[in-house]
Amino acid sequence: MRVMERIERAARRSGRDPKEIRLVAVSKTVGVDQIKEAIEAGVSILGENYVQEAQKKIDAIGRKVDWHFIGHLQSNKAKYAVRLFDMIHSLDSFPLAEELNRRAEKEGRPIKVMIEVKLSEEATKFGTEEEKALDLAKRILGLEHLSFEGLMTMPPYFDLPEMSRPYYIRLRELREKMERESIPVKELSMGMSNDFEIAIEEGATYVRVGTAIFGPRSK
Ligand SMILES: *Cc1c(COP(=O)(O)O)cnc(C)c1O
């Protein structure tokens, strides 16, 4: 697959081991047949934005791949999220973390989480502010049934991929700041179809790529 080759090349160019970077194929609005084709081509992690939509696909495709949740999660969906997903990229508040922790305990299924960091006003409505991320991470570390894995961000859309770089640098610097405070930050989830190579140059360990794999979305 072309995207996989591009990931590998971007990794080598920046002196990184390509194995450090995992591709999350973002399959929102994409049908089951097309997802199966992508799995045939080597995709092993699918990213979904909506719980109900993901439920249908997971029922049809099963758990031979990992399913990651990358959309905005409402507390009332936490129960399903814990049942369905291996990783949540978009944790953005402590009340949501507590709810996920409670549900994960009930289900007997610990869940991996990343904090979504909002690095600009216009980027998205969601995510925790940069100044609050460190405190949130510390509090998540105290929750027994959540495993804190790292940080995620989504910059505003730019036609010029290079414009995303300052956001990815800031996420990397936030990771360094957390690690100085003895908070282990294993993963950086950053980079989408138009700028994943830039994100890899700045340290991404997960890239979330939709349209570059599946083509333009219908809705
Ligand atoms: C849709 C989506 C992506 C993928 O976007 P593309 O531009 O299609 O690669 C990545 N991350 C999140 C959070 C998304 O919602």
Side-chain angles (χ1 to χ4, degrees):
M1 186 189 280
R2 174 106 179 97
V3 169
M4 290 174 176
E5 286 167 22
R6 286 172 59 192
I7 289 172
E8 185 162 337
R9 240 178 297 137
R12 294 199 193 286
R13 204 168 52 230
S14 36
R16 301 182 59 197
D17 181 351
K19 287 204 263 326
E20 286 174 20
I21 299 124
R22 274 137 313 145
L23 170 63
V24 179
V26 176
S27 48
K28 60 176 173 240
T29 80
V30 175
V32 166
D33 289 341
Q34 226 191 328
I35 295 174
K36 284 181 175 166
E37 277 174 38
I39 294 170
E40 289 283 305
V43 159
S44 60
I45 308 171
L46 278 309
E48 287 282 341
N49 291 62
Y50 305 100
V51 171
Q52 268 175 315
E53 185 185 335
Q55 169 91 67
K56 289 192 193 117
K57 294 175 187 175
I58 296 170
D59 286 346
I61 293 167
R63 301 198 161 274
K64 54 183 179 264
V65 288
D66 282 354
W67 295 88
H68 287 194
F69 189 79
I70 63 169
H72 180 63
L73 187 61
Q74 288 161 322
S75 283
N76 60 3
K77 301 271 171 68
K79 175 169 79 176
Y80 305 101
V82 162
R83 282 184 193 162
L84 293 172
F85 296 102
D86 303 286
M87 168 92 88
I88 311 268
H89 287 233
S90 45
L91 182 55
D92 63 358
S93 77
F94 191 65
L96 177 60
E98 283 183 303
E99 180 62 11
L100 283 169
N101 187 57
R102 211 164 63 77
R103 294 295 179 176
E105 177 173 21
K106 252 192 173 150
E107 300 284 329
R109 197 167 189 268
I111 186 152
K112 295 176 178 173
V113 297
M114 290 193 258
I115 294 177
E116 178 173 0
V117 185
K118 182 165 87 171
L119 293 176
S120 78
E121 282 312 309
E122 70 273 29
T124 57
K125 297 195 284 288
F126 306 117
T128 192
E129 285 152 40
E130 197 172 354
E131 305 74 46
K132 294 183 180 158
L134 194 129
D135 182 55
L136 179 56
K138 282 184 181 159
R139 296 171 78 191
I140 290 172
L141 287 176
L143 298 175
E144 210 179 326
H145 306 279
L146 299 190
S147 167
F148 174 68
E149 300 289 314
L151 304 172
M152 182 272 236
T153 200
M154 193 162 156
Y157 179 83
F158 299 110
D159 285 326
L160 264 178
E162 197 54 47
M163 303 275 286
S164 301
R165 191 185 297 277
Y167 296 89
Y168 297 151
I169 291 174
R170 268 167 67 197
L171 200 69
R172 169 163 59 70
E173 288 174 347
L174 181 58
R175 170 201 221 167
E176 287 156 11
K177 183 175 162 193
M178 285 185 172
E179 295 198 319
R180 283 196 298 275
E181 304 250 347
S182 303
I183 300 168
V185 182
K186 227 165 53 193
E187 314 286 359
L188 289 180
S189 169
M190 58 191 200
M192 317 204 317
S193 288
N194 68 326
D195 61 12
F196 66 86
E197 283 140 321
I198 306 272
I200 289 169
E201 287 170 18
E202 298 304 337
T205 64
Y206 283 108
V207 292
R208 308 180 311 270
V209 180
T211 48
I213 296 173
F214 296 112
R217 281 182 286 275
S218 46
K219 55 176 184 190

